[in-house]
Amino acid sequence: MANRRWTEEDVADLREQVAAGRTVREIAHGMMRSQEATRARMQMLGLTKPREFKAPAKILAQQELTEQ
């Protein structure tokens, strides 16, 4: 996969595919781009959701006890 510039058409296609719920892997494959490049462009455009913090089970159990 070559280093190609993102055109306005590419960005519009990316936005449509994200809105349709396709995975980064599916989008990258269809656009003939790397997953890293696709993910980076999605982040640049604000199309990604922040990853949720996954607290260890020990912390979650303590929180449940204090909430009761």
Side-chain angles (χ1 to χ4, degrees), residues 1-21:
M1 292 179 215
N3 292 329
R4 296 181 288 126
R5 292 196 180 272
W6 287 82
T7 65
E8 289 182 26
E9 292 81 14
D10 291 336
V11 171
D13 186 28
L14 177 62
R15 288 182 187 278
E16 287 176 16
Q17 292 189 56
V18 169

Side-chain angles (χ1 to χ4, degrees), residues 6-57:
W6 287 82
T7 65
E8 289 182 26
E9 292 81 14
D10 291 336
V11 171
D13 186 28
L14 177 62
R15 288 182 187 278
E16 287 176 16
Q17 292 189 56
V18 169
R22 296 188 68 193
T23 66
V24 172
R25 184 178 188 172
E26 293 170 335
I27 295 169
H29 181 75
M31 297 185 80
M32 295 177 52
R33 295 189 180 267
S34 70
Q35 289 183 44
E36 294 81 13
T38 303
R39 190 174 291 109
R41 183 55 54 157
M42 288 170 64
Q43 289 174 340
M44 182 183 284
L45 296 169
L47 300 176
T48 57
K49 297 178 188 171
R51 292 185 179 216
E52 290 184 20
F53 173 72
K54 294 185 179 178

